[in-house]
Each structure stands twice: as C-alpha cells, then as structure tokens.
Amino acid sequence: MKEFELVITLLSDLSPGNGDSVAGLIDSEIANEYGLPIIPAKRLKGALQHVGKELVDWGLVEQRELDNLFGAAGQAESGPIQFFDATLYKIPRSFYMDEEKEESTSITEKSAKELVIEHYVPFVQRLLKEEAIHPNELLHLFSTVRARTAIDIETNTAKTQSLRTMRVVHRGLTFKSKIVLNTTNEEIERLLEMCVQGLRRLGLGSTRGLGEVACQIHRVDSSPSVWKVPLPETARDDEEIELLFRITLEQPVMIAGSQGLYHSCADWIPGGTLLGAFAGMYIADHGLGEKAHQDETFSRIFLRDGVAFGYAYPEIGGKRFAPCPAHWQREKNKNAAYVISQEKPQQNGKQEGIVLRSIGALAFLQEDDTLLLHEPEKEVRMHYSRPDNRGIGRPLGEEPREEENEKIYGRRGQFFQYTALRQGQSFIGSLRGKKQDIHALLTCIEKRNGKLRLGRSRTAEYGNVTMELLADSEASSLLMEKGQHSIGTAKPFAICLTTPMLLMDQAGRPDPDPAHFLTEVQGALKVKLKLEKQFLKQTILSGYNGKWRMPKPKQTALDAGTVLIVSVMDGTVDSDKLESRLWGANTGEGCGQLKVIAMESLQETKKMKVEWMQSPSSSRTQVDPTKAELAKIVIETLTNKIIKEREKKKHAIEGRDRAKQLLEQEPQLLEMGQTKLYQLYLHLTEKQVMRFLEEQENNEKFKKVIDVCENQSLSFIKAFFHTFKLEVRKAHG
C-alpha cells in the first residue's frame, strides 16, 4: 500500500458545489465542514479520471491502464485507488491580517506568509470546542457569494428571472488530500502522477473563470503498523471465544437502509457488511481469487457460519444502543414511556386513557428507569455523473429528447444523492468463533493497521473506518444496564431480539413463527417454556453476492425489536446462556442475537422517563499534545480575525446609522455632489483632511461630515460615505 499527498492551490475562486442551496439567498452552496470549505473526494476522482480520458484520446496511455487505476463499470472489484476529501492546508496572510492596522503590524507578523494546518483532525477537534467561533463566520471568512445572470439575445439585457447566486472559495487557499494506492505497479503510479500534472480545473464554472488550480503530488511514508492481535493466551485454538471491537468512522459510511440505497441508510453496521469486508480482505491476502469457495478455511469461516459477525450498534458514553423492544412504547407527544405486557392495549391504542406509540429509535434503559433514545447522525451528499460526451459539463437526465441522437450522447449522466452515517461516530460489535478462525481474521486487520472499508462507494469519500479491539473491562452494556441471570419456575421474562432472527421450518424454508425458536431453546437448555405474549416485527433479509454478482434470495425473518414474553414451566433458565449464543439460521451475519429482560408480572405496566442522547461531536481519536498545540495557535489567529470582523461589522452599522441621522439633522448636505463626496472620502482615508479643506471655498458643510468621521475606523467611514452617496443619489433623482 502506497500513500500520497495531493496538494491543491487555488489560482482562482473555486466553487466545489454540494448540490444544496439556501432558499432566497444562495442557489449553489459549497461543500463545507463546520464552516471550513472542503473539496469532496468524488470531485477529485472525477476530475482526475477526466484528465485520464483526455490522455487516452491523445494516445499517451491506453484505456486498459486507465481502468486498472480507476476501475471500470461492471467489474467485480473496484480500482486500487482510494481518495479522501481535500481539506484546508495553508491559509495566506491576507486572510487573517487586518489591513486597517497594517502599519502597526510587527516585523514577526509581517514575515509570516501563511498559516499551515499540518494536522487537520486535531485542528477540527480544537475548533469544535471553541465557543467564540461560529461555523457561519468561518464560512464567510473563506468564501464569498457571486451573482450572475443571463443575457437576452434579442434585447441585449438581462433575462427575466435569470439571476443566480453561487458561493465560491477565495483564491489563494491551499488544500491537501490523501490518496491511497493498493498496488505495487509502477505504471499505475506513473499514470496517477500524469493525471495530477494535467489537472488544471475543478468545480463549477470552470469555463467562466472559476476553478483554476495548481496541483502537486508526493509520496509519504505510511505510519508503521501498531495494531496487535490480543487473543486470550489460555484459550485453545478450537475453543469458542468472543471479542468485542469498536469501529470509528473516519469517513461517512453508506449502508443501504429499508428504503434503498439512495433514500435511506441503516442506523447500525450489519453483520453481513462486516462479513463481506473481512471476506474481501482474506481473499486478497491469500490470493484465492475466483476459487475462494474451494479453500477449506474460507469456506468454514464465511460460508458455513464458522464465525459470527455481530451487528455493530452505536455507542455513547459507555452505553450501546439497540433497536427498541416492541413492548416499550412511548406516550404520544410526551417524554414518557411504558413497559406494557399486553400485545394489544385497550381500545384505540390506549392504555388507561393514554395514547401510546411504538418507538422507532434506538434505545438504552438505565437503572433509574430512564429510557434513553438515540438516532445516529446522518448526512445527505449530492453527486452527479457526467455524460459519455465530455463536451457536456452537466448531467442530462435519463429520458432523451426526441431531437437528440442517442449515439452522439451515449450515457446521459444523472444527478443523485447518497444518505450516509456521519463520520466521527463509534459503533461496537463482536466476533464469535474458534480462536484460530478469529486469529485469521484479525491478521488481515493487523496488516492494514486497523483500517478497513465498509459500505458502498469505498474508493472515494465513503467507507474508511478504524477498528480497535476492546478488553472485557471496556465492554459497553447493550440495551440496558441491569438484568437477571437466573430465572426460576413461573417467573415471566421478555426475550428481546437485538438483531433479526431467521427461523426455518422442518422443510428448511423460512418461517417467522416464534414456535421454532422456542423449540430450539427448550432443546438446548433442557427447559419447558410457555409463550405468554408476543410483540412481533418482521423484515426481509436479502443482500448481494459479490462472486456471482447477483442479489441473494429474499427471506422473511423476525425483525430486531421483536419481544416474546415467556414463563418457565419446568427447570431454570440461565439468561447468560441465552444471550451468549446466536439462535436460528444465518448466524454468520449476526442474526439471532437477543437480550433477556426480567419482568415482575404479566400485568406489569411500568412508567419510564424518556430522554434523547446526541452523538458526541468530537472523535475518539487520541491527539498528540504537540499537534493540539499547533492547532491551538492556528485557531487563536483565526479567532482574532473573526473578532475583528465582528468589530468591523458593528462599526459599519454605526456608520450607516450615523449618516442617516446626520442627513435628517442637516438636509442641506444632500446638495453635495457625489464627486466631492468621493474626494472627501479619499482625503479622510489618506489622512489629508486639512489639505482638502484648504482647497474648498465654503468648507462649513464639509466640516460637519469630517467631525462625524474623525477618529473613526475605516469600516465606519466606508459605510458612512456609502450610505451618504446613496441618499444623495436618491435626492437628485
């Protein structure tokens, strides 16, 4: 694996549009993060691939070489290259120095040409803790809004309703992106360098003076592997073990939700997603290729459920949230919930006159009976693919017009959006299996220093995560803090599914009947159970087979959140044994995990307080103190600049109001000419007022203006004269 840094310097204003807008203000907004402009990785990949296509047209490279670098549609595997968002790297002196106090600037400050953000992550973490800076202020510091219109050919005037505004990033800024190349092929590396050398334009409006850039790429030394495989030394190779792991999102992760890839994203990381990621790494490390299914170890781990890849659920403050059990229901429009024991409450969905609603969020129950609810943070990003005809700089849509020749246009391109889990969030999952199989999987992660890719669109902008193993003392509770270990005869308890459960009938067909599950439990634990109540939820399990490039068959299963309230008729149930294994089929993808919750009685209706938990804004990544100190210096400099900008805005408002007040008191001043106003403004800013007065015959009216502007800031004077000029122009008609 080779790692490169791509440095991009803006030679003109840049508009890396994100497809969004601000109603009534901005028609085209830029991509930004906490107010800091970014260049999305997909824009970089598309621009470099466009350069590569030009190189193919010129005969400098072959199409085969380009496909080997960027990948090609329809291939089973993606290309070896991975792009990261380009973030701020260097900020020129003009962005943070105050031109009004240039003369008093120290020699040290004058010699500093730019601010350098060497380490972006600690910079953002420190920035999020800075209460004095608002993201909008940063956005206004690094960008501005431009307005454009279209000309009517017949009248040579602006077309009606053609005014458009777009935000652009100021020229002079420098951005830096990381590029990872998973190949040792020198020709592919040379082609990447050629594409970077040929990249001259980025973003929107590249044919109208925007987006001119200068790019450089250089190799960097990858960090040495520090990821270890801490497996229990006392366990035998064939002994079953369970390891918990934490996954932290370094990039947004896109996993299709219930409404499909383009409209929704899952609230967690499914076991099937983890299984596919590990299978891909194992095949690559062992060179199995198309014959992976013939390898005994691969077949045992991935095809015969030898290792169970548990669902990874969000973690906040030592609490691991899971889908809310169906017998916990929330009171409508109030922060209260109830534990109900009846499958169907009284008429019209009411329990003792209270209207209850099911809870769709993830949940965690504290010991004080406070029900915490959480919804993972998500974001929507806009993208577009260009037509095959590269002379067209925008997508044309799916349906061709009657007069268009499809042979000329080819694929027309399209505009689309992705919903993804926001970066910075943490999820905890588990691996269950024999020690030797778990070791084989963790060896793949060790080679990549704890990095892996999850979800869709993993070559640019999405999917990069960090994995760390957890000790038993670091394990977070799932769904609730307390439980009951031993449940005796006639004691009711609730079995809550935390992941989907796939049950099979005697003929081996999917059948979401809880009786199959109870039969399996009774046979395994040697007890007799009675089903008292049930709160059933169903789902459809499917997926995609990467080898055959075909969708998996759809199977009906009990969904996470399903609750079965049962009583022990004979024997004793150990809840640890129930929770320590997965039940049903398809356990390799994490299906069949459950949580046991004791109940006082079958008539129990207990009230709980409801609170919402938000995802922490900062990453769990530990930051080097030296890096944090460097970030602090940059942020302090930007903070000082923003504070000065606030003062300028305040002075400008004072100047505007003072001009209107003076004209109300002295209406004869409206007789002043705009030329004289401009001359007086220049003499005030250049501090040559006395010379101006000596040149005037009647200087009384000018003195009144000078008295107002005396000892005022440049922002005050500018706003004062601008308002004065507009009022004079209005008075003269």
Side-chain angles (χ1 to χ4, degrees):
M1 183 178 71
K2 300 179 181 179
E3 188 173 311
F4 301 85
E5 281 185 351
L6 175 63
V7 179
I8 304 170
T9 302
L10 306 189
L11 303 182
S12 67
D13 292 348
L14 170 70
S15 179
N18 64 355
D20 204 355
S21 62
V22 180
L25 295 176
I26 301 174
D27 295 303
S28 179
E29 187 58 274
I30 64 171
N32 67 91
E33 180 181 61
Y34 314 115
L36 301 172
I38 62 174
I39 304 176
K42 278 192 173 296
R43 309 296 194 277
L44 295 176
K45 180 181 178 182
L48 290 172
Q49 190 172 16
H50 181 77
V51 174
K53 291 179 179 179
E54 296 291 338
L55 296 176
V56 172
D57 292 343
W58 296 336
L60 298 177
V61 298
E62 297 180 4
Q63 182 64 43
R64 172 185 54 81
E65 298 177 277
L66 192 65
D67 293 342
N68 289 339
L69 175 60
F70 293 100
Q75 287 184 343
E77 298 180 358
S78 59
I81 196 168
Q82 183 185 22
F83 291 86
F84 289 74
D85 292 341
T87 56
L88 268 180
Y89 177 43
K90 294 181 180 179
I91 305 173
R93 181 170 174 268
S94 58
F95 279 79
Y96 57 88
M97 295 304 298
D98 192 350
E99 68 276 7
E100 295 186 21
K101 301 180 180 179
E102 185 73 21
E103 296 181 359
S104 62
T105 303
S106 66
I107 297 177
T108 304
E109 289 177 329
K110 284 186 176 182
S111 61
K113 295 183 178 180
E114 56 194 2
L115 285 174
V116 180
I117 304 175
E118 289 287 357
H119 310 285
Y120 186 75
V121 172
F123 171 74
V124 171
Q125 291 183 357
R126 181 69 177 80
L127 182 64
L128 293 175
K129 299 177 182 179
E130 188 63 48
E131 297 181 355
I133 299 181
H134 192 274
N136 283 339
E137 293 177 309
L138 280 174
L139 189 61
H140 289 301
L141 179 62
F142 295 116
S143 65
T144 189
V145 177
R146 284 190 177 188
R148 292 184 174 183
T149 188
I151 300 298
D152 192 313
I153 300 178
E154 296 180 357
T155 63
N156 289 329
T157 59
K159 277 186 178 180
T160 304
Q161 299 181 348
S162 66
L163 181 65
R164 294 292 183 269
T165 56
M166 64 187 308
R167 188 182 295 278
V168 295
V169 183
H170 291 304
R171 68 172 180 264
L173 292 171
T174 300
F175 293 78
K176 182 171 66 174
S177 171
K178 182 171 74 172
I179 299 177
V180 177
L181 200 59
N182 293 312
T183 181
T184 58
N185 192 323
E186 297 295 335
E187 292 184 358
I188 291 182
E189 182 178 343
R190 180 182 61 85
L191 176 56
L192 173 61
E193 294 176 353
M194 292 175 63
C195 291
V196 171
Q197 292 172 2
L199 183 58
R200 292 291 181 266
R201 296 281 178 179
L202 270 177
L204 303 177
S206 58
T207 61
R208 297 172 176 84
L210 297 179
E212 185 178 359
V213 297
C215 302
Q216 295 179 339
I217 188 172
H218 57 273
R219 176 84 178 272
V220 296
D221 294 331
S222 302
S223 57
S225 178
V226 295
W227 207 88
K228 301 299 180 182
V229 183
L231 291 177
E233 296 182 358
T234 57
R236 303 185 307 274
D237 287 345
D238 59 348
E239 184 178 347
E240 294 280 342
I241 62 173
E242 179 181 10
L243 289 181
L244 293 180
F245 58 83
R246 177 184 291 118
I247 287 179
T248 303
L249 311 188
E250 291 188 349
Q251 291 179 311
V253 172
M254 186 167 48
I255 301 173
S258 58
Q259 298 179 10
L261 178 64
Y262 301 108
H263 303 285
S264 64
C265 178
D267 290 335
W268 49 78
I269 302 176
T273 299
L274 295 168
L275 185 148
F278 275 95
M281 291 186 291
Y282 190 91
I283 291 173
D285 291 348
H286 294 80
L288 301 181
E290 296 291 334
K291 298 182 179 180
H293 60 286
Q294 298 178 3
D295 183 82
E296 174 57 30
T297 303
F298 179 89
S299 180
R300 181 179 67 252
I301 295 176
F302 298 103
L303 304 182
R304 299 201 299 267
D305 298 339
V307 173
F309 296 83
Y311 279 47
Y313 284 120
E315 177 211 20
I316 302 177
K319 302 175 178 62
R320 192 161 28 132
F321 289 75
C324 185
H327 74 313
W328 295 351
Q329 298 188 9
R330 185 181 180 184
E331 185 176 356
K332 183 179 180 181
N333 299 327
K334 292 187 179 180
N335 289 326
Y338 294 85
V339 179
I340 60 176
S341 60
Q342 298 180 23
E343 182 178 6
K344 293 182 179 180
Q346 297 177 6
Q347 295 180 0
N348 300 323
K350 296 182 178 180
Q351 176 75 23
E352 297 180 358
I354 298 174
V355 180
L356 300 178
R357 293 288 183 266
S358 60
I359 300 175
L362 303 181
F364 184 90
L365 182 62
Q366 298 189 127
E367 290 185 356
D368 60 356
D369 290 333
T370 299
L371 182 62
L372 303 179
L373 302 181
H374 170 65
E375 291 183 352
E377 292 187 4
K378 299 179 183 179
E379 61 183 33
V380 177
R381 296 197 178 190
M382 310 290 183
H383 305 284
Y384 76 92
S385 61
R386 294 179 61 173
D388 287 342
N389 186 341
R390 297 196 300 279
I392 304 172
R394 60 182 178 83
L396 298 174
E398 294 296 335
E399 297 296 332
R401 299 176 183 175
E402 294 181 359
E403 65 272 15
E404 292 178 352
N405 188 338
E406 194 66 23
K407 294 182 180 179
I408 297 177
Y409 287 93
R411 287 182 300 181
R412 301 168 52 81
Q414 60 179 331
F415 184 83
F416 56 94
Q417 67 181 30
Y418 285 147
T419 303
L421 294 168
R422 189 183 297 276
Q423 65 188 40
Q425 300 180 88
S426 297
F427 298 78
I428 290 185
S430 64
L431 294 174
R432 308 187 192 195
K434 294 183 178 180
K435 178 182 176 181
Q436 59 183 1
D437 294 337
I438 299 294
H439 183 271
L441 297 178
L442 298 184
T443 302
C444 298
I445 289 291
E446 184 179 15
K447 291 181 180 179
R448 294 161 178 82
N449 201 19
K451 308 288 184 181
L452 67 155
R453 305 182 193 177
L454 298 176
R456 294 288 300 273
S457 196
R458 298 184 298 273
T459 60
E461 201 167 328
Y462 298 95
N464 217 62
V465 304
T466 300
M467 180 178 178
E468 58 177 318
L469 297 182
L470 303 178
D472 293 338
S473 58
E474 299 178 280
S476 300
S477 301
L478 176 66
L479 191 60
M480 61 185 301
E481 291 180 344
K482 59 182 179 180
Q484 185 171 344
H485 296 288
S486 180
I487 303 173
T489 305
K491 265 289 189 179
F493 63 96
I495 299 176
C496 306
L497 303 191
T498 56
T499 66
M501 179 181 290
L502 180 62
L503 300 173
M504 299 291 186
D505 60 15
Q506 294 181 351
R509 294 170 297 193
D511 183 11
D513 185 351
H516 301 310
F517 165 66
L518 294 179
T519 300
E520 184 179 359
V521 172
Q522 291 176 138
L525 302 184
K526 308 301 181 184
V527 296
K528 185 177 181 181
L529 303 177
K530 178 184 178 182
L531 180 62
E532 303 286 356
K533 300 290 181 182
Q534 59 184 11
F535 300 80
L536 302 182
K537 300 172 68 176
Q538 293 188 5
T539 186
I540 301 296
L541 297 181
S542 185
Y544 185 80
N545 189 306
K547 175 178 174 56
W548 302 109
R549 283 177 263 179
M550 295 177 60
K552 294 180 179 179
K554 296 183 178 181
Q555 299 174 310
T556 305
L558 294 176
D559 198 6
T562 291
V563 176
L564 304 177
I565 300 178
V566 301
S567 297
V568 182
M569 305 304 295
D570 184 18
T572 301
V573 172
D574 187 346
S575 62
D576 289 338
K577 290 184 178 180
L578 263 177
E579 297 176 356
S580 62
R581 59 170 287 183
L582 303 181
W583 302 88
N586 208 23
T587 57
E589 296 186 11
C591 292
Q593 185 176 358
L594 54 83
K595 184 74 175 179
V596 176
I597 302 177
M599 301 185 67
E600 296 297 331
S601 66
L602 293 177
Q603 288 72 39
E604 178 183 18
T605 303
K606 184 169 60 176
K607 186 176 181 180
M608 302 179 290
K609 180 183 177 182
V610 173
E611 294 182 2
W612 284 89
M613 290 284 288
Q614 300 296 327
S615 299
S617 56
S618 60
S619 172
R620 301 182 57 93
T621 307
Q622 297 294 326
V623 178
D624 188 290
T626 304
K627 297 178 181 179
E629 187 63 28
L630 293 174
K632 180 180 178 182
I633 295 174
V634 177
I635 290 175
E636 287 178 350
T637 305
L638 295 178
T639 302
N640 292 335
K641 174 63 176 177
I642 288 176
I643 292 175
K644 292 175 183 178
E645 291 296 327
R646 291 176 189 166
E647 294 176 353
K648 288 181 183 180
K649 187 175 181 179
K650 179 182 177 182
H651 293 164
I653 294 174
E654 293 174 353
R656 179 199 63 190
D657 296 341
R658 191 66 184 90
K660 292 181 178 180
Q661 182 182 0
L662 179 62
L663 291 174
E664 290 177 358
Q665 297 172 351
E666 306 288 343
Q668 69 275 13
L669 294 178
L670 291 172
E671 299 175 2
M672 295 177 63
Q674 295 188 48
T675 302
K676 286 298 182 182
L677 278 175
Y678 182 67
Q679 291 176 352
L680 179 54
Y681 167 74
L682 290 180
H683 282 79
L684 277 169
T685 54
E686 296 174 5
K687 300 181 179 180
Q688 297 179 357
V689 177
M690 297 306 300
R691 176 183 172 186
F692 175 80
L693 291 177
E694 292 173 357
E695 297 173 354
Q696 312 304 317
E697 296 180 359
N698 182 8
N699 56 20
E700 290 299 325
K701 58 182 179 181
F702 297 112
K703 285 184 178 180
K704 295 180 180 179
V705 177
I706 293 171
D707 290 341
V708 174
C709 295
E710 189 175 5
N711 298 325
Q712 296 292 349
S713 66
L714 181 60
S715 299
F716 180 97
I717 296 173
K718 285 181 178 180
F720 178 90
F721 275 92
H722 181 71
T723 305
F724 209 121
K725 178 185 66 175
L726 294 178
E727 294 295 329
V728 169
R729 183 182 298 173
K730 186 193 306 182
H732 291 175

